[in-house]
Amino acid sequence: MSGFSVALTLTNLMWCFVGVTLGTAVGVLPGIGPAVTVALLLPVTTKVDPSGALIMFAGIYYGAMYGGSTTSILLNTPGESATIITAMEGNQMAKRGRAGPALATSAIGSFVAGTLATVALTFVSPLVVDVALSFGPPEFFALMVLAFVTVSAVLGESPLRGLTALFIGLAIGLVGIDNQSGTARFAFNVPQLLDGIEVVTVAVGLFAVGETLWSAAKDYKVEESLIQMSGSIWMKADDWKRSIGPWLRGTVIGFPFGAMPAGGAEIPTFISYALEKKLAKNPEEFGHGAIEGVAGPEAANNASSTGTMTSLLALGLPTSATAAILLAAFQQYGLQPGPMLFVNSADLVWGLIASMYIGNLMLLVLNLPLIGVWVKLLKIPKPQLYAGILIFATLGVYGMRQSAFDIFLLYVIGVLGFLMRRFDFPTAPVIIGMILGPLAEAQLRRSLSISQGDWMIFLQKPLSASLLVITALMVVGPWVWNKLKNGSADKNAKH
Amino acid sequence: MASPETRKGRTGQIVVAAAVLILGILMAVGTLQFPEATGYAKVGPRLMPAIVSGALILLSLMLLKEAWFGGFKDVDEEAAAANPTNWKAFAWISGAMIVNGLLMVPAGFVIAGIVMFVMAARGFGSTRWLKNAGIGAILAAMTYAFFNYGLGLNLPAGLLPI
């Protein structure tokens, strides 16, 4: 409750509103997902006090998610993998002249899921914090290893490319002066590298610049067709009746997935879609624009990303690219998310959580009627759109450190993003690796100095041992399973 | 096992895997220059880079093996070959960003932004130079005003008396 007294001050309400509006405006641009939106807008908050800034971020985050689903539905260009389903089914609805209800069900569904998931977050995080307060360095390190592996190896298409991306991120995170010993690592005497590489530069480079290069050099043949909005944006009584169930089920599926320190909002959206198809009276409508297929996955996506905030706030563990950038936002103010944050800066945390409720409501009340304005942003022709995105990208990156060096770095990372897209490497693990890597290294070194260099410490503590065993099973398990399956298939073939 | 002819389409993949390998090796060499852990702690600034470089070398060898025998899992090289890269567009965008970096401090945010805008738009095939310069100017000036005066972010004014 005390959180609302923080969030409901006039200034903070204003920051929340600015955040929601900016987030939607940037998030609606094609190819710009929530992670880049947050990264691009990070410098905007440098001059704002911490609680105001973080509250603004809650707004940006929700606005970006909402803007992203708008683009998915009208252009069929999902900004991130968690909106693939929304894009597919919602675009079908839009093609049949039902763009309005599709946008409305995703907006209201996001509101319902976001609010319920924030309630869950409010009650679950203190429990997680209580447990996490008893964690020592070995437990935290094991937890981070588990998060690394699930995010990069288990959830993607190719564990090999996912892990490569993760370790490239970890390598980027190593650049700069080592906090504990003062050794300069991989900085090549370049002063700008001694301070390390900004996560904003990497995120904006990989996503926004990489996307611009890709769009110019690879997508030149593809003509995107923006679907015209026609008819009412409001849902009919029947649409409401068909949406409420999927919203609630999506929330229930999504939140636990996000709250686990494993991440991945894609899986709950797929599960929700499959479930709704099974429960539907007319499953043949799925794939041709069934409103349940938009409502459920969109709610699951939103509940899951709210769940992600549980691991971020209570454990200090970001499990999505967006959460990793939010972690960087906290670090900008010298704050380290994790159980101690609830103890030391309770006001700030609860203010942030309260503003998540408010941001969600604000989004619905203020933004839903503005949908026509946002759609206009989609009509900007490609050359001017991407040229404009580059201006914002250089602004964001230059604004962080006032260094032209960072613009060249931004370009180099953009080329990396282009290549990663060309060869189908996932990019989120890079961001998570670079931001979580230094934290994992600190916990690793702390653990080993407690044990005086004995690695067995990780196996002697029951919790860290079981976390590491789970991690090992997740990496080796599928591989062994495949071998066994192929082995028996070979045998069958011989008969 | 794939025949040599089909391997030809995967030169790119082999180069990518080799690049990761080189990165890993360079990191490992760099790691050796770091001071050893001293005193009570037993672990120092070497440990994490050693783990990361070792992992990169291992992963790159596995990638190399995949690229050599059959190609990266689930990467469709035929589809990629059917959609060749437009290097001219790539070069325009690259030039736009590099010129922006060069101009940012001496010429200022607004001028650097206009030049980048025009060049990037050219990368997407737009040759209406004047119109693009105008749009770029409005956009860059508005951002400059908003961030510099509104939010107190320190952007370079450069040649313009603003």
Side-chain angles (χ1 to χ4, degrees):
Chain A
M1 271 300 118
S2 68
F4 280 98
S5 60
V6 176
L8 282 174
T9 64
L10 203 61
T11 359
N12 285 345
L13 275 178
M14 186 201 74
W15 287 127
C16 188
F17 173 68
V18 172
V20 167
T21 313
L22 278 178
T24 315
V26 178
V28 81
L29 300 174
I32 303 287
V36 204
T37 309
V38 177
L40 278 176
L41 294 172
L42 197 56
V44 176
T45 56
T46 42
K47 303 288 173 188
V48 182
D49 72 294
S51 60
L54 293 174
I55 283 167
M56 185 167 162
F57 269 111
I60 291 175
Y61 183 55
Y62 280 120
M65 299 260 302
Y66 169 73
S69 18
T70 306
T71 321
S72 304
I73 290 169
L74 294 179
L75 270 181
N76 197 12
T77 49
E80 49 164 17
S81 47
T83 50
I84 288 174
I85 300 261
T86 311
M88 189 179 80
E89 201 68 30
N91 194 253
Q92 286 297 328
M93 274 183 79
K95 277 191 180 141
R96 300 176 161 225
R98 309 230 312 132
L103 290 168
T105 197
S106 92
I108 302 169
S110 301
F111 169 73
V112 171
T115 305
L116 292 177
T118 310
V119 174
L121 165 82
T122 311
F123 289 102
V124 172
S125 340
L127 303 177
V128 180
V129 167
D130 279 345
V131 178
L133 279 174
S134 66
F135 285 7
E139 283 86 1
F140 269 115
F141 179 71
L143 204 56
M144 286 170 177
V145 172
L146 175 68
F148 280 150
V149 168
T150 46
V151 163
S152 54
V154 180
L155 299 173
E157 279 168 21
S158 153
L160 184 52
R161 293 200 295 278
L163 282 173
T164 309
L166 171 73
F167 276 96
I168 288 174
L170 289 171
I172 295 173
L174 283 172
V175 173
I177 289 177
D178 168 36
N179 278 337
Q180 293 176 57
S181 66
T183 312
R185 296 189 295 196
F186 308 117
F188 315 104
N189 291 325
V190 178
Q192 287 90 342
L193 288 180
L194 287 172
D195 287 339
I197 295 174
E198 288 283 345
V199 71
V200 171
T201 312
V202 177
V204 173
L206 280 183
F207 299 123
V209 178
E211 167 74 23
T212 305
L213 285 168
W214 182 268
S215 187
K218 284 285 190 186
D219 268 352
Y220 53 94
K221 284 187 271 185
V222 186
E223 266 310 311
E224 278 160 2
S225 55
L226 173 66
I227 293 169
Q228 295 299 320
M229 289 267 295
S230 57
S232 162
I233 83 156
W234 301 109
M235 296 158 56
K236 292 196 261 325
D238 182 47
D239 294 327
W240 280 93
K241 224 174 75 199
R242 289 175 59 184
S243 291
I244 291 172
W247 288 338
L248 298 178
R249 285 188 290 269
T251 309
V252 173
I253 297 167
F255 182 79
F257 267 94
M260 275 191 295
E266 303 89 341
I267 297 175
T269 62
F270 290 129
I271 296 177
S272 163
Y273 187 78
L275 178 73
E276 294 312 331
K277 193 171 174 180
K278 221 167 210 144
L279 292 176
K281 285 194 208 102
N282 35 359
E284 67 284 350
E285 207 186 323
F286 278 71
H288 308 284
I291 196 163
E292 295 94 339
V294 181
E298 193 57 15
N301 178 19
N302 232 278
S304 159
S305 32
T306 307
T308 312
M309 298 294 280
T310 314
S311 332
L312 177 66
L313 291 173
L315 294 170
L317 215 60
T319 52
S320 68
T322 319
I325 295 162
L326 285 175
L327 177 64
F330 276 96
Q331 288 173 339
Q332 209 177 64
Y333 293 100
L335 298 164
Q336 192 61 55
M340 289 316 286
L341 191 70
F342 277 79
V343 179
N344 297 334
S345 320
D347 268 5
L348 188 138
V349 176
W350 290 111
L352 175 65
I353 293 177
S355 72
M356 289 167 68
Y357 289 101
I358 298 166
N360 235 323
L361 185 66
M362 221 178 238
L363 187 63
L364 191 70
V365 176
L366 296 176
N367 261 6
L368 195 56
L370 284 178
I371 194 106
V373 179
W374 304 129
V375 170
K376 287 212 175 68
L377 284 175
L378 289 173
K379 291 185 182 153
I380 304 173
K382 249 180 163 189
Q384 286 78 21
L385 173 72
Y386 281 101
I389 288 176
L390 284 187
I391 289 200
F392 287 117
T394 50
L395 165 80
V397 166
Y398 187 85
M400 292 299 291
R401 295 204 296 203
Q402 272 82 38
S403 154
F405 175 84
D406 283 357
I407 295 177
F408 299 116
L409 196 59
L410 176 72
Y411 169 67
V412 172
I413 293 168
V415 175
L416 177 69
F418 176 83
L419 287 173
M420 289 182 77
R421 180 144 177 197
R422 163 67 180 77
F423 293 99
D424 204 14
F425 283 77
T427 39
V430 179
I431 311 285
I432 293 167
M434 81 168 284
I435 198 86
L436 203 48
L439 300 175
E441 180 182 14
Q443 301 290 7
L444 171 64
R445 283 160 72 173
R446 229 169 276 157
S447 308
L448 288 176
S449 38
I450 294 171
S451 72
Q452 300 187 28
D454 183 2
W455 286 83
M456 290 310 285
I457 186 169
F458 294 109
L459 298 179
Q460 281 153 0
K461 304 248 174 184
L463 185 63
S464 70
S466 31
L467 286 170
L468 290 174
V469 169
I470 294 171
T471 312
L473 284 178
M474 286 215 240
V475 181
V476 184
W479 183 75
V480 173
W481 173 249
N482 268 336
K483 286 270 158 182
L484 287 174
K485 219 169 56 182
N486 287 344
S488 60
D490 283 351
K491 258 184 225 154
N492 290 341
K494 273 176 200 156
H495 285 295
Chain B
M1 294 294 126
S3 59
E5 299 94 80
T6 52
R7 197 173 294 151
K8 220 170 66 186
R10 297 196 303 273
T11 321
Q13 294 187 2
I14 294 169
V15 171
V16 166
V20 178
L21 177 63
I22 292 168
L23 175 71
I25 292 172
L26 288 179
M27 273 184 75
V29 173
T31 303
L32 292 175
Q33 324 287 317
F34 300 150
E36 285 233 48
T38 46
Y40 193 67
K42 309 259 182 179
V43 281
R46 259 191 191 189
L47 175 64
M48 191 71 174
I51 296 174
V52 174
S53 58
L56 280 174
I57 292 172
L58 181 71
L59 290 165
S60 72
L61 292 176
M62 289 164 78
L63 281 173
L64 208 53
K65 190 185 152 208
E66 254 193 23
W68 199 264
F69 301 107
F72 287 174
K73 192 180 153 207
D74 298 329
V75 173
D76 188 350
E77 282 297 330
E78 274 172 37
N83 179 20
T85 309
N86 181 349
W87 289 112
K88 212 175 124 193
F90 192 95
W92 272 109
I93 308 287
S94 306
M97 293 202 67
I98 291 164
V99 171
N100 180 269
L102 293 172
L103 288 180
M104 181 63 86
V105 177
F109 178 82
V110 177
I111 293 176
I114 296 171
V115 177
M116 178 171 69
F117 192 95
V118 172
M119 288 177 73
R122 175 64 190 82
F124 282 89
S126 170
T127 46
R128 304 174 70 173
W129 305 101
L130 265 180
K131 184 187 155 202
N132 287 336
I135 299 172
I138 295 167
L139 197 61
M142 270 170 46
T143 344
Y144 183 86
F146 179 70
F147 283 90
N148 218 49
Y149 305 122
L151 291 167
L153 211 69
N154 213 354
L155 295 171
L159 300 173
L160 298 177
I162 40 179

